[in-house]
Amino acid sequence: MAIHEALDAVPHRRKRAPTTKAENSKGNPIFQDVTATSGLPSVASRNGDVNINDYNNDGWPDIAAGVAVSRTRPALFRSLGLTNGVPHFAVPAGVGELKDAADAQGQSHHGLPVAAADYNKDGRLDIFFDYFFNNVDGQLLLRNETESGHWLSLGRALGGGIGAKVSVYRAGGLGDPNALIGQREIAATDGYTAGVPDDAHFGLGANTAVDVRVTLPPEARGLATNGVIELRNVPVDQYLRLPSGCGGS
């Protein structure tokens, strides 16, 4: 099964108008509600999970939601980038209808969890999708067949990787905030109840080489000078295991 379209939804309670919220940080800790501006609709089903990953590797984070658009399709909201600092998303057909179920046959499909991982190691994140409350629909493993940009996935070969902070920059821009492509923390979970590989996956769009900075967690800082690994001009489209074969800064 293929992942084709877009991504985002936030949980709400049944029997009342569904709501979706997207907020921008405006300092510490003030937020601005940009839901309407971002294009996110009210969601027509209960949702138990949301995660943010780049499913088409274009360099912009998309949103996968536990709410199902149909029996075989969780809601994926594809990022359209930023406009005046506000993220915008494409909305898949079937999302945003104010009815009890998102499925045309009138069934409610409450997804939990949405577990993202590259199960076939082709550089595109796939989705394992389970259902909430009952097991009538079973579990679905959705293979990502979306046209893809370049990518890089980083993990730890020697342990101690959980909690490491990975920052990826355009080649030649290591440490420059204006050259930052993305930043992730290596974790064993994503969203609600979903266990995932302890990798940091980055969609890189058209970039063919990048600079990488990995700040190790306290218990692993002895594996690199000052607890930081810095790599320059790293080729893309690969699984990189650190610190094997890599020197510290």
Side-chain angles (χ1 to χ4, degrees):
M1 298 176 187
I3 300 172
H4 289 297
E5 297 192 46
L7 312 72
D8 193 83
V10 174
H12 62 79
R13 297 182 182 275
R14 258 181 117 180
K15 311 263 187 220
R16 55 182 291 191
T19 58
T20 303
K21 293 291 184 182
E23 295 184 337
N24 272 1
S25 175
K26 304 270 295 179
N28 185 26
I30 301 172
F31 294 87
Q32 178 184 4
D33 185 351
V34 295
T35 304
T37 308
S38 70
L40 296 177
S42 295
V43 178
S45 183
R46 183 178 303 173
N47 173 39
D49 194 13
V50 170
N51 70 43
I52 300 174
N53 288 290
D54 189 350
Y55 288 95
N56 59 353
N57 291 326
D58 66 351
W60 293 98
D62 310 304
I63 304 171
V67 57
V69 177
S70 71
R71 181 185 175 279
T72 59
R73 199 161 133 236
L76 290 172
F77 297 83
R78 178 172 50 86
S79 175
L80 301 176
L82 294 174
T83 302
N84 297 323
V86 176
H88 287 257
F89 298 92
V91 180
V95 173
E97 300 174 25
L98 295 177
K99 57 183 180 179
D100 189 57
D103 193 297
Q105 285 71 43
Q107 298 185 50
S108 293
H109 301 284
H110 309 314
L112 180 72
V114 180
D118 185 6
Y119 294 98
N120 58 352
K121 300 300 181 183
D122 67 351
R124 293 172 290 188
L125 292 174
D126 310 298
I127 287 179
F128 178 79
F129 190 64
D130 201 356
Y131 285 94
F132 202 25
F133 292 132
N134 64 66
N135 200 33
V136 174
D137 294 306
Q139 294 80 37
L140 300 174
L141 178 58
L142 305 177
R143 185 179 68 246
N144 190 343
E145 298 177 351
T146 310
E147 184 176 347
S148 174
H150 295 296
W151 57 276
L152 184 68
S153 183
L154 294 95
R156 291 294 314 285
L158 299 182
I162 301 298
K165 296 178 181 178
V166 183
S167 302
V168 174
Y169 301 84
R170 292 192 297 273
L174 184 67
D176 181 359
N178 293 322
L180 183 66
I181 297 173
Q183 187 175 72
R184 297 188 73 94
E185 183 172 316
I186 294 180
T189 62
D190 189 13
Y192 178 56
T193 79
V196 295
D198 53 348
D199 297 325
H201 180 92
F202 296 89
L204 302 175
N207 290 281
T208 57
V210 293
D211 294 346
V212 177
R213 174 178 288 164
V214 182
T215 303
L216 301 177
E219 66 274 12
R221 292 183 65 82
L223 297 175
T225 305
N226 298 321
V228 176
I229 298 171
E230 292 186 340
L231 306 172
R232 291 174 171 82
N233 206 34
V234 177
V236 301
D237 298 338
Q238 65 165 316
Y239 279 87
L240 189 61
R241 291 293 173 262
L242 302 173
S244 298
C246 304
S249 61

